[in-house]
Amino acid sequence: MKSAERRKEILRFLGDTETPVPANVIKEKFGVSRQVIVQDIAILRANGYGIISTNKGYVLDLKARLSRVFKCRHSLEELIEEGEIIISSGGIIDDISVNHRLYGKISANLMLSNRIHVEELYRSLASGASKPLMSVTDGYHYHAVSADSEKALDEIENKLRERGFLIEN
C-alpha cells in the first residue's frame, strides 16, 4: 500500500470511531512501524485534517470544520477542475454521493485535500478500471465539503456556480 493510500485509510479508520485509537493499533492494522504512523498523522495534520492526540490515542475531530453539501454536474474530464476549485478555496472533499432511482443514496468517502489526491482519483477513473459514481446519474452528484469557515464554503459555492458546476435546487 502506498503512503498516500495508507493515509486515506487512516482517516477512514479514525472517522469510523468516536473513541481514541492508539498508534499501536493503527500500526498493526496497516503493517507499518509506529514511527510511520506518527509521520502519517503529522502529514495529515499539515494537510488540514483535525487529528487530536490524546493520552489514549488519536481521534479525528470532524466537528472542528464546517461542512456543506453541494449538488454538482460535470464530465469526468472536468473532475480535476472541480477539485481544484474546492481545494484552492480551502475545502476538503469529504465524500461523493448520488441518488440512484432504484438503489437510493450511494456514497463513497474521498477525503481529497490536495491536488495530488484529485489527480490520483482522476487517473484511476480515466483508466477505465472503474466507472465514476456520477456516471450512474448522468454526471449529477453531491459532495460533502468541509472547510474552516463559512466564508470558505461560500467562496467554494460561488466559484462552482460561476463555473457552471453547481446545480441549484
Side-chain angles (χ1 to χ4, degrees):
M1 176 182 295
K2 293 181 180 179
S3 57
E5 185 180 330
R6 183 181 59 248
R7 287 187 203 91
K8 284 183 188 178
E9 291 301 316
I10 289 170
L11 284 172
R12 288 187 185 109
F13 185 57
L14 292 176
D16 287 342
T17 182
E18 293 181 11
T19 59
V21 181
N24 287 335
V25 170
I26 301 170
K27 84 173 181 99
E28 292 297 327
K29 177 169 179 60
F30 294 100
V32 296
S33 72
R34 187 177 186 288
Q35 184 59 36
V36 168
I37 296 302
V38 170
Q39 289 171 347
D40 283 345
I41 296 294
I43 291 168
L44 289 167
R45 284 179 174 154
N47 284 320
Y49 293 99
I51 299 174
I52 300 169
S53 297
T54 71
N55 61 346
K56 295 181 180 181
Y58 296 108
V59 64
L60 187 59
D61 183 14
L62 296 175
K63 295 174 188 151
R65 295 179 65 83
L66 301 171
S67 184
R68 192 177 297 173
V69 175
F70 298 106
K71 183 177 182 182
C72 299
R73 184 174 190 228
H74 57 76
S75 68
L76 176 61
E77 293 73 26
E78 295 168 317
L79 183 144
I80 291 177
E81 185 179 356
E82 177 198 47
E84 286 178 352
I85 288 170
I86 294 169
I87 290 165
S88 69
S89 298
I92 294 174
I93 305 169
D94 298 322
D95 69 20
I96 183 172
S97 63
V98 296
N99 287 325
H100 192 275
R101 291 181 191 224
L102 179 61
Y103 301 118
K105 182 179 180 181
I106 303 169
S107 64
N109 289 331
L110 294 177
M111 305 306 265
L112 306 175
S113 63
N114 62 45
R115 181 183 171 87
I116 294 169
H117 295 160
V118 174
E119 289 172 352
E120 286 174 354
L121 175 64
Y122 174 76
R123 277 194 302 276
S124 294
L125 294 172
S127 74
S130 294
K131 296 254 186 220
L133 194 54
M134 65 186 192
S135 69
V136 300
T137 54
D138 195 31
Y140 291 96
H141 59 284
Y142 298 85
H143 283 302
V145 174
S146 59
D148 290 332
S149 68
E150 286 291 335
K151 182 179 177 183
L153 291 170
D154 289 343
E155 181 179 330
I156 292 165
E157 184 172 333
N158 290 333
K159 286 182 177 180
L160 290 172
R161 182 179 292 113
E162 287 171 12
R163 181 53 183 89
F165 293 157
L166 189 68
I167 303 300
E168 308 286 348
N169 289 330

